[in-house]
Amino acid sequence: MIGAGLAGALMATLLAQRGWTVEVYESRGDPRLHGFAGGRSINLALAERGLHALRAADADRDVLAQAVMMRGRMVHPRAGTPQLQRYGRDDREVIWSVSRGELNVTLINAAEAAGATIHFDRRLEAVDFPAKRAFYRGGGELHRVGFSTLIGCDGAGSSLRAQMHARTGLGERTEWLGHGYKELEIPPAADGGFRIEPNALHIWPRGRYMCIALPNDERTFTVTLFMALEDQGDGDPSFETVPDAAAALALFERDFADALPLIPELVHDFEANPIGTLGTLYLDRWHLGGDAVLIGDAAHAMVPFHGQGMNCAFEDCVALAGHLDATPDLATAYAAFEAQRMPDATAIQKMALDNYIEMRDLVDDPGFLLQRELELALQARHPTRFIPHYAMVTFMRIPYSLALERSEIQRRILEDATRGRASLAGIDIPALDGAIEQALAPLDAGP
Ligand code: FAD
């Protein structure tokens, strides 16, 4: 396996548990010795799909012990009091903020405990597929190692993908978003507690740009500022027009005034942390016969706005393990994995792009809030048929492609019913029953 990141360490665990001989080659040093990202806290939202995969690896309890529950979005308007919009109906429908570094260490420990061997400081450089040899750079040397098959878990910039592509085109294309991000930090309060509500994902929506903040168990928040990379000529800020810490301070004073006092090291963070770029990676093929297969970001990197990249990568691991259980023929297993997962990856990639608009623009829009109110009313009326979009993606494990298909039907019903209205008062809700029963078959609503 190439890469002992999130997908790699979980995949290694699942395969080693099944008795496979698993050797993992990871370009970075052992995070248990070196730490992560220069010591910065970077976190991720973990949802039901990811949790289910962690249960399969028996790693869920360790991960949840360090996680912070997020009940909903805390939306910070330009002026006025922040409001919590719950993600689900109650505390059984929540997501979890987890530290990327701690999660990776937990999974690396799980992989080793299950019997996998992880070789750190080994960067895949080249693959000789006919001779079944891979070449890894590490410790100033090039190491040549034979393989029976390769699983690529080496992330969005996958070296294995490049080697496969050189052998037989994979139909690779990346659509760049044109927006980037910068990470900042809210430290603990003077008494050691959280400075703002911990059990929420905070959002400062500002139209075509936004800030978000996720809690960490050490009482900090990781803040991420998202905006266009280049000036769009529309008066909105971009990394081009906000090139340095002084401009960032002015931006926060104007647009994120309640966040500014929470980020005392804004000048340092803005200057020290890199601008991340965001894109969606599409491939026509994920495997090369039985010689190699790609999973996670290496196969289908996506923009982070649905908080599903890791969750989807973890779902890949369970799916691939299942296909390998079903047949001893690797090429057949990889083809079945690709056929199952590619439509789902494409669906969540689209939903992730759509969710950027929802987060940065719609969450404080009265029309959107009215649709959300109606969505909950219809869910109460049709609990197995009308399940909110966010719930299908986040709290269930139905295929992403099915969640997308049903969400589109539901969105049309919501838009039609709320058009031109300011409240639910004038909507004849029972009159919608027929359309719902006809268009939406019942789903098993449990996770
Ligand atoms: P990675 O985590 O990138 O791991 C790849 C591993 O391969 C690394 O350890 C790397 O060192 C190693 N590697 C790379 N090249 C080589 C090589 N040549 N040889 C050997 N090893 C190599 N997802 C969520 O589910 N929820 C979220 O809230 C969320 N938030 C996000 C926020 C941001 C800003 C971003 C950018 C992403 C976010 N994601 C989120 C997505 C998530 O980070 C990815 O989907 C996830 O990390 C993919 O896991 P992976 O194992 O495929 O790749």
Side-chain angles (χ1 to χ4, degrees), residues 2-8 25-28 43-46 100 104 122-125 153-159 181 183 214 224 226 278 295-298 304 307-313:
I2 316 301
L6 300 180
Y25 294 84
E26 164 58 50
S27 58
R28 290 180 299 188
N43 46 29
L44 299 145
L46 174 69
R100 181 186 286 271
N104 205 168
R122 293 284 180 275
R123 172 179 295 279
L124 179 76
E125 281 209 350
C153 322
D154 48 347
S158 170
S159 304
Y181 66 93
E183 281 151 346
L214 274 73
T224 314
F226 293 94
L278 301 165
I295 67 170
D297 277 14
Q308 285 289 318
M310 163 191 66
N311 287 283
C312 178

Side-chain angles (χ1 to χ4, degrees), residues 94-287:
V94 297
I95 55 175
W96 301 90
S97 179
V98 295
S99 144
R100 181 186 286 271
E102 284 172 2
L103 175 59
N104 205 168
V105 165
T106 302
L107 292 174
I108 285 171
N109 286 334
E112 287 183 345
T117 306
I118 305 181
H119 306 270
F120 293 99
D121 291 308
R122 293 284 180 275
R123 172 179 295 279
L124 179 76
E125 281 209 350
V127 182
D128 180 345
F129 284 105
K132 291 214 158 177
R133 285 202 192 98
F135 298 85
Y136 302 95
R137 175 78 55 190
E141 286 174 39
L142 195 62
H143 306 262
R144 190 177 71 169
V145 185
F147 63 87
S148 48
T149 188
L150 294 175
I151 302 183
C153 322
D154 48 347
S158 170
S159 304
L160 178 58
R161 186 176 73 234
Q163 294 294 310
M164 292 163 67
H165 188 66
R167 181 136 185 91
T168 163
L170 298 177
E172 175 175 338
R173 64 216 175 273
T174 297
E175 283 173 16
W176 296 104
L177 185 64
H179 285 224
Y181 66 93
K182 179 84 90 169
E183 281 151 346
L184 312 166
E185 189 180 89
I186 299 177
D191 66 359
F194 286 102
R195 286 193 179 209
I196 48 175
E197 166 59 47
N199 294 120
L201 189 156
H202 294 259
I203 309 187
W204 289 258
R206 297 295 181 261
R208 283 184 286 265
Y209 56 103
M210 67 174 183
C211 259
I212 65 169
L214 274 73
N216 296 303
D217 64 343
E218 70 262 30
R219 310 290 187 263
T220 61
F221 287 82
T222 307
V223 178
T224 314
L225 167 66
F226 293 94
M227 60 186 176
L229 291 169
E230 291 174 7
D231 184 13
Q232 304 296 303
D234 53 9
D236 281 345
S238 66
F239 283 105
E240 191 182 349
T241 58
V242 183
D244 53 30
L249 268 179
L251 170 67
F252 272 75
E253 273 164 13
R254 194 190 70 187
D255 288 342
F256 306 111
D258 65 330
L260 181 58
L262 305 171
I263 314 174
E265 298 296 327
L266 189 139
V267 167
H268 166 269
D269 292 352
F270 199 88
E271 278 168 4
N273 298 340
I275 299 172
T277 52
L278 301 165
T280 309
L281 166 78
Y282 303 97
L283 299 178
D284 293 338
R285 276 173 296 286
W286 290 352
H287 75 110

